[in-house]
Amino acid sequence: MFTGIVRERGRVVSADRNGAGVHLRIAGETAQAAPGDSISVSGCCLTVTKADGEALEFDAVPETIARTTLGALEAGAEVNLEPALRAGEPLGGHFVQGHVDGRARVSSLEPEGEGARLRLQLPTELQRYCVEKGSLAVDGVSLTIAALDDDGVELALVPFTLEHTTLGALGPGDEVNVEVDLLAKYAERLASA
């Protein structure tokens, strides 16, 4: 379980294809994690397979590659990193599982005051889980939906988010990982029963 409060930007050291999966080596301060720990890598919950104090290694399996943007990562790319929530830590964002629901395409990222407004085209099957002022995790970052219509959502990004995550570098056409609000999925399932 994560909160969507990114702790750092990591740098991909290597992304090696191994069949239909990818073996990732990522450098960052979170490199102090240990094998078996869960880390959110741009919104995807991955298990640390090796840690040497300089970088962490992960194996992204075909299911992960099919649903996320991790298969497109190359050496030098930046990713958002968040270690798993530990008992007693504050829940600053919202409940994020790191189970990416799909990818969204960036329509625009426009300055808005000292922040910016990010517009995403969401897959139709994910739009039903979105409500104005509800939560959406984008590349692992907990965000509040500022507006929505039939084509997608708009999210207001504060200066801190622009500076400390990868979201400030997005441009039209870029793809991002999205995870809709877990509570919305449960509510839908219960209502349909």
Side-chain angles (χ1 to χ4, degrees):
M1 183 69 69
F2 305 95
T3 65
I5 304 299
V6 171
R7 297 297 179 211
E8 68 173 308
R9 284 187 299 210
R11 184 183 43 79
V12 176
V13 176
S14 62
D16 300 318
R17 286 268 178 202
N18 54 8
V22 174
H23 182 78
L24 296 169
R25 183 168 166 81
I26 300 173
E29 291 179 19
T30 305
Q32 302 310 313
D37 286 355
S38 293
I39 304 286
S40 172
V41 178
S42 287
C44 306
C45 179
L46 296 178
T47 301
V48 176
T49 59
K50 184 178 179 186
D52 60 17
E54 294 180 13
L56 300 173
E57 295 186 23
F58 307 92
D59 288 311
V61 298
E63 171 70 11
T64 302
I65 299 304
R67 287 187 179 264
T68 72
T69 62
L70 295 187
L73 290 177
E74 296 179 355
E78 285 192 321
V79 292
N80 295 321
L81 298 175
E82 179 189 357
L85 181 65
R86 298 193 191 290
E89 289 182 338
L91 180 64
H94 71 280
F95 291 115
V96 177
Q97 290 184 296
H99 303 166
V100 171
D101 292 304
R103 292 176 286 208
R105 188 166 304 280
V106 174
S107 298
S108 62
L109 178 66
E110 301 290 335
E112 183 177 61
E114 292 185 20
R117 182 155 298 225
L118 175 63
R119 178 152 181 78
L120 299 177
Q121 294 173 322
L122 280 179
T124 305
E125 65 271 14
L126 297 181
Q127 288 189 42
R128 70 178 183 262
Y129 299 112
C130 297
V131 296
E132 192 170 322
K133 303 304 178 205
S135 298
L136 184 70
V138 177
D139 273 355
V141 181
S142 175
L143 298 171
T144 302
I145 298 169
L148 69 152
D149 58 30
D150 291 340
D151 296 323
V153 297
E154 291 183 10
L155 305 135
L157 305 182
V158 299
F160 188 90
T161 299
L162 294 170
E163 182 179 342
H164 291 91
T165 73
T166 61
L167 301 187
L170 292 174
D174 288 344
E175 282 193 319
V176 293
N177 298 316
V178 292
E179 180 183 334
V180 297
D181 189 5
L182 173 67
L183 300 178
K185 290 189 284 188
Y186 276 116
E188 178 185 61
R189 177 80 173 163
L190 290 170
S192 68

